[in-house]
Amino acid sequence: MNLSKLRNIGIAAHIDAGKTTLSERILFYTGTTRKLGEVHDGQAIMDFMKQEQERGITIASAAISCSWKEFQINLIDTPGHVDFTVEVERSLRVLDGMVAVFCAVGGVEPQSEAVWSQADRYRVPRIGFVNKMDRTGANYMDVIGQMNEYLDANAVPFQLPIGAEENFEGMIDLVENRAIYFKEGEIVELPIPEELKPIAAKARQQMIEKLAESDERILELFLEDEPIPLEILKNAARKATLKLEITPVFCGAAYKNKGIQNLLDAVLDYLPSPLDIGAVVGIDIYKEDKTHTRNPSVKDPFSALVFKLIHDPYVGQQTFVRIFSGSIRSGMQVYNSSKQKYERVGRIFRIKAKERIEISEAGPGDIIALIGMKYSKTGDTICNGDFPLLLESIHIPQTVIELKINPANRKEQSKLGEALAKLVNEDPSFGVRFNSETDETIISGMGELHLEVIIDRLKGEFGVPVDVGEPSVAFRETITAEVECNYKHTKQTGGRGQYAHTVMRLEPNEGNGYEFVDKIKGGVIPGEYIPSVNKGIQKTLDGGVLAGFPIVDVKVVLLDGSFHPVDSSDMAFQICASICFKNGFMKGNPSLLEPVMRIEINTPDEYIGSIVGDLNKRRGKIDSMRRFRKGSQKLNGTVPLMEMFGYATALRNISSGRANYSMEFYKYVLVTSVIQDEILKKLKELKEK
């Protein structure tokens, strides 16, 4: 396949900006589907999960291949709801370009900013599409202003709308200097209307000035007042987009089928092919300071990244991968360098949302699903075993909310365990732990909707009805003071006993998670037992010490110890290390960490005082206010998650239903001693019940 004619793109945006409707129109106009699927009636091809059809939102990113003008486009439609942000994260890691969709009325929303920063993390070139130009209150230039102000996007209009709201008829193409109208589904090219010529000429001049900043040939022609050939203009725009110097912006109304074909042309013209992205760099699995490059070529050794797993009732586990170099064939053996294990590929599928087309071979740039993979998980690298490397993995956000669940029928405990294991495999932002003291299964996720969907899937997809407790905050535990601990584990039985002795120092390790440092000298603990010490501590981290919450941000330095030539064993050192760590943890001024959320509230001016007052009572802080629309403001701030249960109802009451809000995880912070005492008291009361 000619890689220059391949585009791997994602469609990402705030919830309700019209991403899935846009994806459905792209599928229709590329001939992939014969009828238009609508989100509101549950018929969208890309929203094929039952939960998506019921709620009218995208939950899981869906991949599909389509063709436009001899180009192949691999398209991924991503969710806009903050609870499913990991779907956007893993999609952007494997995509080459992105279409960022904005509502012409809502503009830059909180989740638009989150998606934008995710794209920045992976340096993904992008174009903007201002959708819903037919809606009351649509303002194209205002959205572009917000993109520049809040996203630092260097957004440049490549189109101007002709009319707006119910009078939205078409657009002026500033690159080709022509007017495009949409009449009964057909595109009609006409001269630019006389009354719009001055505005179009000024906007075109500004676009050329922007391009001249990064292209000397255009600068030359511009200064000499010479006409700029279309090919030179498009090439300069493409280069500037790929270097992330500009974001070309287009407009349309996906629901009314306006602007789709032009957007597809823009995807081909301005977004990168795998060749434009070039070589990927991976780390040597034996030497971290050594790197390897892989070019998008079948001649280079095979390398790919696993970015998604789906359990399919018909074919079993589907492992979605993006191939960066080399090729893969059915029956081939590949090496999982993250797990350091070999796997055999069963079958290979090209995916069209919920449909599958079996293929025998795939190459660079392809996004495919593999059947038969046993060990590979999200973020793993698979490659040629003779040329191993580790590609950059995928950033997984921390869970912030918990739910206690139990099978409605105790006999189905093992069935529940199997179903949860499959869901954890699919969704790395979903966590499960078992509290042996209370005999409860605790699931954790990104928000209430995330866990609601999981419960729904347990009942509908896996046939395991569950009893569900109240949602609670996913606290974490840590220490705030350095402490040394010394513990000797001895157990004498009739035969061989148990002996282990460890001395360790525990240090606060803010923001760096768990770290283990071995400072044993002179073999006082034999080398084969050092991993046992680490393992014993790690087993303790998940269950917590203070209140049963996972432990984070602790550095453990193993200083000293002793062993017995007969009675020491792997298990003895695991038990010893666990008890030693627990003892030290309780002396290190242990503290709970609580999740703090970023919050953005859109409200009419008259309710600002009441809303700010209510947020202050919830320990919230307002960082900034900015104009949203005439008579409305956006409030940005932070607030602890534990104060926000039931906030939707409270905000509705305060603002007579006119304000709305969105939240996303910001960071974990230490709780005050007063609040910690209250939390521990409540937890104790719940246990006693």
Side-chain angles (χ1 to χ4, degrees):
M1 181 188 173
N2 183 352
L3 286 182
S4 65
K5 291 194 176 290
L6 175 63
R7 298 288 181 272
N8 287 316
I9 64 158
I11 295 185
H14 184 82
I15 194 166
D16 211 26
K19 296 177 301 303
T20 302
T21 302
L22 176 59
S23 301
E24 295 296 323
R25 297 307 186 263
I26 287 173
L27 298 186
F28 179 75
Y29 283 108
T30 56
T32 308
T33 55
R34 292 171 187 271
K35 70 181 186 74
L36 291 168
E38 302 295 1
V39 176
H40 57 80
D41 60 16
Q43 297 300 307
I45 304 290
M46 302 299 267
D47 283 353
F48 55 85
M49 283 172 65
K50 178 173 166 278
Q51 290 78 14
E52 294 176 315
Q53 291 163 356
E54 287 171 354
R55 290 171 174 80
I57 61 166
T58 302
I59 289 166
S61 51
I64 198 158
S65 296
C66 55
S67 313
W68 181 251
K69 295 184 177 177
E70 297 176 6
F71 282 70
Q72 183 187 320
I73 299 173
N74 290 328
L75 175 74
I76 295 184
D77 173 33
T78 64
H81 197 286
V82 68
D83 281 15
F84 309 105
T85 188
V86 75
E87 291 288 337
V88 184
E89 188 78 36
R90 58 178 164 193
S91 300
L92 287 175
R93 172 63 188 89
V94 297
L95 292 169
D96 299 329
M98 179 177 107
V99 178
V101 184
F102 300 90
C103 171
V105 182
V108 174
E109 300 277 4
Q111 192 60 13
S112 316
E113 297 183 46
V115 166
W116 201 266
S117 63
Q118 284 172 310
D120 280 342
R121 181 183 294 136
Y122 298 118
R123 294 195 57 75
V124 178
R126 63 216 84 150
I127 58 177
F129 181 70
V130 179
N131 192 23
K132 303 191 179 184
M133 283 302 302
D134 56 326
R135 282 214 10 218
T136 305
N139 191 327
Y140 179 66
M141 293 312 291
D142 190 42
V143 175
I144 289 174
Q146 288 181 38
M147 286 174 71
N148 286 327
E149 187 178 348
Y150 306 130
L151 305 178
D152 198 19
N154 206 0
V156 180
F158 274 41
Q159 290 178 343
L160 287 182
I162 299 172
E165 302 180 345
E166 71 271 14
N167 300 318
F168 177 61
E169 297 177 89
M171 63 274 291
I172 296 164
D173 182 333
L174 296 174
V175 178
E176 298 192 15
N177 214 16
R178 60 186 179 139
I180 303 159
Y181 287 85
F182 301 94
K183 310 238 183 222
E184 294 167 10
E186 295 295 315
I187 293 178
V188 181
E189 252 186 73
L190 292 169
I192 295 172
E194 285 299 321
E195 69 275 16
L196 294 177
K197 275 184 178 175
I199 300 164
K202 187 182 176 188
R204 190 169 197 269
Q205 173 114 341
Q206 287 170 342
M207 178 189 74
I208 291 168
E209 282 173 18
K210 276 282 181 194
L211 296 176
E213 289 174 14
S214 55
D215 191 285
E216 287 181 22
R217 182 80 183 104
I218 287 185
L219 182 62
E220 243 172 71
L221 293 167
F222 179 69
L223 293 173
E224 289 167 11
D225 211 15
E226 292 282 325
I228 299 164
L230 183 62
E231 196 179 337
I232 289 177
L233 205 58
K234 279 193 172 180
N235 280 342
R238 180 178 179 76
K239 281 178 191 167
T241 307
L242 299 190
K243 287 180 186 170
L244 307 185
E245 290 171 354
I246 64 164
T247 305
V249 185
F250 304 85
C251 61
Y255 184 59
K256 297 281 176 67
N257 309 318
K258 294 178 180 179
I260 311 302
Q261 298 97 316
N262 311 91
L263 181 66
L264 280 165
D265 288 341
V267 165
L268 308 187
D269 288 340
Y270 307 117
L271 288 181
S273 72
L275 293 175
D276 295 312
I277 296 297
V280 291
V281 178
I283 297 165
D284 190 291
I285 65 170
Y286 304 112
K287 294 179 183 174
E288 283 190 21
D289 56 346
K290 190 178 175 186
T291 58
H292 301 284
T293 55
R294 295 283 182 269
N295 294 293
S297 162
V298 287
K299 293 176 183 175
D300 271 32
F302 170 70
S303 68
L305 189 79
V306 176
F307 71 96
K308 187 175 171 71
L309 273 74
I310 290 180
H311 175 73
D312 187 287
Y314 302 106
V315 296
Q317 184 174 288
Q318 294 183 98
T319 305
F320 282 74
V321 303
R322 158 71 195 263
I323 301 173
F324 290 101
S325 64
S327 58
I328 190 171
R329 294 174 305 285
S330 300
M332 181 171 145
Q333 184 173 261
V334 294
Y335 183 62
N336 182 324
S337 52
S338 307
K339 300 280 190 302
Q340 300 196 1
K341 287 182 177 178
Y342 279 96
E343 300 229 47
R344 192 164 295 281
V345 176
R347 298 154 76 191
I348 304 173
F349 288 116
R350 200 176 293 292
I351 299 297
K352 292 205 169 182
K354 65 177 175 182
E355 292 176 18
R356 300 175 292 270
I357 299 162
E358 188 161 358
I359 55 176
S360 58
E361 190 173 356
D366 277 333
I367 291 175
I368 50 165
L370 306 177
I371 308 296
M373 308 290 274
K374 291 178 182 174
Y375 308 113
S376 297
K377 302 281 182 283
T378 298
D380 284 0
T381 300
I382 55 172
C383 57
N384 181 324
D386 296 331
F387 303 95
L389 81 166
L390 272 172
L391 298 169
E392 181 191 352
S393 192
I394 294 168
H395 170 74
I396 307 298
Q398 294 193 53
T399 57
V400 293
I401 194 163
E402 293 186 337
L403 211 53
K404 289 173 184 170
I405 62 166
N406 280 307
N409 182 343
R410 279 284 168 190
K411 290 175 188 170
E412 299 202 321
Q413 186 73 50
S414 64
K415 198 176 171 186
L416 173 65
E418 286 168 24
L420 288 172
K422 283 172 184 168
L423 289 169
V424 166
N425 258 351
E426 282 185 23
D427 183 354
S429 67
F430 169 60
V432 178
R433 60 192 176 90
F434 187 74
N435 189 326
S436 51
E437 280 184 34
T438 57
D439 205 25
E440 287 173 319
T441 301
I442 298 161
I443 60 173
S444 56
M446 302 301 298
E448 290 181 72
L449 180 61
H450 185 196
L451 295 184
E452 191 184 304
V453 167
I454 293 282
I455 298 297
D456 239 22
R457 290 187 65 192
L458 282 172
K459 291 174 183 173
E461 212 172 297
F462 296 97
V464 187
V466 289
D467 295 328
V468 182
E470 288 295 311
S472 60
V473 174
F475 293 102
R476 297 285 184 269
E477 297 179 13
T478 192
I479 55 168
T480 55
E482 193 176 296
V483 65
E484 265 195 34
C485 45
N486 182 338
Y487 180 73
K488 194 177 282 184
H489 174 67
T490 55
K491 198 171 183 186
Q492 214 48 56
T493 54
R496 182 178 165 183
Q498 284 185 15
Y499 180 92
H501 174 212
T502 55
V503 180
M504 57 181 80
R505 183 170 72 244
L506 276 54
E507 302 171 10
N509 198 25
E510 193 181 340
N512 295 313
Y514 167 70
E515 244 181 284
F516 178 76
V517 180
D518 169 24
K519 290 242 175 123
I520 291 295
K521 290 190 177 85
V524 291
I525 296 177
E528 68 262 31
Y529 295 137
I530 304 295
S532 309
V533 174
N534 190 11
K535 201 172 173 186
I537 297 165
Q538 285 185 321
K539 280 183 177 176
T540 313
L541 297 179
D542 282 349
V545 178
L546 180 64
F549 296 106
I551 293 167
V552 295
D553 297 350
V554 177
K555 183 177 182 179
V556 177
V557 183
L558 183 59
L559 302 169
D560 200 359
S562 61
F563 77 106
H564 188 280
V566 177
D567 291 350
S568 286
S569 65
D570 164 57
M571 188 50 68
F573 270 99
Q574 280 194 48
I575 294 166
C576 176
S578 175
I579 296 169
C580 187
F581 177 82
K582 284 177 180 175
N583 293 345
F585 189 88
M586 289 309 288
K587 291 174 189 168
N589 196 10
S591 178
L592 290 178
L593 294 161
E594 66 173 336
V596 169
M597 314 298 281
R598 282 192 197 279
I599 186 167
E600 180 164 297
I601 304 167
N602 300 332
T603 173
D605 291 344
E606 60 261 40
Y607 304 113
I608 287 173
S610 305
I611 287 169
V612 171
D614 180 66
L615 265 186
N616 286 339
K617 284 180 198 166
R618 297 172 187 267
R619 296 190 286 132
K621 288 178 187 169
I622 296 295
D623 297 328
S624 66
M625 291 188 195
R626 67 192 197 212
R627 184 187 65 81
F628 175 38
R629 282 193 292 269
K630 193 176 178 186
S632 293
Q633 298 277 341
K634 278 184 192 273
L635 309 181
N636 288 80
T638 55
V639 63
L641 176 63
M642 69 181 291
E643 306 290 349
M644 294 303 284
F645 290 110
Y647 185 65
T649 307
L651 185 63
R652 205 178 300 127
N653 292 339
I654 292 169
S655 66
S656 307
R658 291 174 65 196
N660 59 66
Y661 80 103
S662 69
M663 285 195 310
E664 64 172 326
F665 173 68
Y666 172 44
K667 64 177 181 180
Y668 271 94
V669 299
L670 290 167
V671 300
T672 63
S673 56
V674 175
I675 292 167
Q676 179 165 310
D677 290 344
E678 281 175 23
I679 295 165
L680 294 175
K681 188 181 171 187
K682 277 181 191 170
L683 289 168
K684 192 180 174 188
E685 285 168 5
L686 283 170
K687 271 186 187 177
E688 286 168 357
K689 281 180 185 175

